[in-house]
Amino acid sequence: MDRILSADSTPIACHRRGEGPPLVLVGGALGTAAADAPLAALLAPRFTVVTYDRRGRGASGAAGDGGGVAGVRRETEDLAAVVTAAGPGASVFGMSSGGALALEAVAAGLPVELLAVYEPPYTPGASGLLLKARASDRLHRLLAAGDRAGAVELFLAAKGVDPATVDRMRRAPLWPGLEALAPTLVYDDAVLGDGAVPAERFAAVTARTLVVCGGFSSARSRAATRTLAEALPRARHRTLTGQTHEVAPQVLAPVLTEFFARDVYVRRAS
């Protein structure tokens, strides 16, 4: 494990594996670099894969800025530091809210030519924006009250996890770890803004982009990815048959390998 310093001197823990063109993986909510390890291991035969603990998670530090616009700026700086450390020509893949973070970083000027995202959880449309506003308000109230368990339950419910499963999870060994990460949910909430796809801002994303969704994901999620792909100047959309938001690494890895390896070859040959 390596530690690099972000722009505000926050230490960010990184893990590097494999050989080949550099590829940075950006995890989603309540995840650490360990959660990305199965996908990273499948990509490592073709790429130098860099995973990292986003700020406030795992072995990375946190500056205590509390999310919001400042939190998004800090997280884009973190990603920029990781991409720089990964090496020249690094590509980026972002999972869920990690995909939204990657898009924000590239829109802000991060020099990435190849980018892939899997189901950034935008909620466009009147009902989706209302849902996001209510969830954001409740999340902040729960965390302000110190109710980390409630914040985790809110997140799981938003993902469609049924109450019986949540109850079983609360009794499982993984639950304390989820509660420990609950304060970082403000970063994931902030990076999604009001829930709408920020089409005007993302018009600045010139990276060749692959937007992926699962064929068994919710209709809202599938529609959001298509809206996102249409907003990006150089994007294409792909649906993985039989997959949900919890995509299987062994299904996703070949798709990412094809996209990044082929496009890296084309870019270098041109």
Side-chain angles (χ1 to χ4, degrees):
M1 180 180 70
D2 299 322
R3 282 189 175 88
I4 61 173
L5 293 181
S6 189
D8 67 343
S9 297
T10 296
I12 304 298
C14 301
H15 305 257
R16 185 186 297 259
R17 52 172 65 79
E19 295 183 2
L23 172 59
V24 175
L25 307 188
V26 188
L30 295 184
T32 64
D36 297 325
L39 177 60
L42 293 170
L43 294 169
R46 295 290 300 275
F47 306 96
T48 298
V49 185
V50 179
T51 58
Y52 74 103
D53 293 330
R54 287 170 56 188
R55 65 173 48 211
R57 313 174 194 211
S60 291
D65 46 51
V69 174
V72 175
R73 183 174 64 252
R74 292 305 185 196
E75 281 226 272
T76 59
E77 292 171 349
D78 297 345
L79 178 53
V82 174
V83 167
T84 298
S91 302
V92 174
F93 166 70
M95 178 67 197
S96 191
S97 56
L101 172 58
L103 285 161
E104 290 290 346
V106 176
L110 182 66
V112 170
E113 295 186 35
L114 299 172
L115 170 66
V117 297
Y118 189 89
E119 291 192 8
Y122 295 107
T123 53
S127 62
L129 298 187
L130 179 60
L131 180 68
K132 174 63 165 62
R134 289 174 173 171
S136 296
D137 178 69
R138 188 179 175 202
L139 173 65
H140 284 271
R141 285 190 287 107
L142 287 168
L143 290 175
D147 187 357
R148 293 188 175 192
V152 174
E153 289 181 358
L154 175 66
F155 167 73
L156 293 174
K159 291 182 65 176
V161 180
D162 63 88
T165 300
V166 172
D167 187 59
R168 289 194 297 272
M169 291 177 67
R170 289 192 64 133
R171 298 192 297 271
L174 60 79
W175 190 260
L178 295 179
E179 284 196 19
L181 291 171
T184 67
L185 288 170
V186 296
Y187 292 109
D188 298 279
D189 179 70
V191 79
L192 293 168
D194 63 2
V197 173
E200 183 175 348
R201 188 159 65 251
F202 284 177
V205 176
T206 58
R208 190 178 306 188
T209 307
L210 178 66
V211 180
V212 190
C213 72
F216 279 0
S217 293
S218 69
R220 184 188 297 276
S221 294
R222 288 183 278 115
T225 59
R226 292 196 176 277
T227 299
L228 173 60
E230 291 169 0
L232 296 167
R234 302 178 66 199
R236 64 179 186 261
H237 184 276
R238 180 161 178 178
T239 300
L240 301 186
T241 303
Q243 296 299 302
T244 66
H245 190 70
E246 304 300 325
V247 61
Q250 63 270 25
V251 175
L252 180 59
V255 174
L256 296 181
T257 297
E258 178 188 17
F259 173 68
F260 288 119
R262 183 183 64 190
D263 283 359
V264 165
Y265 175 80
V266 170
R267 183 181 62 191
R268 289 181 175 178
S270 62

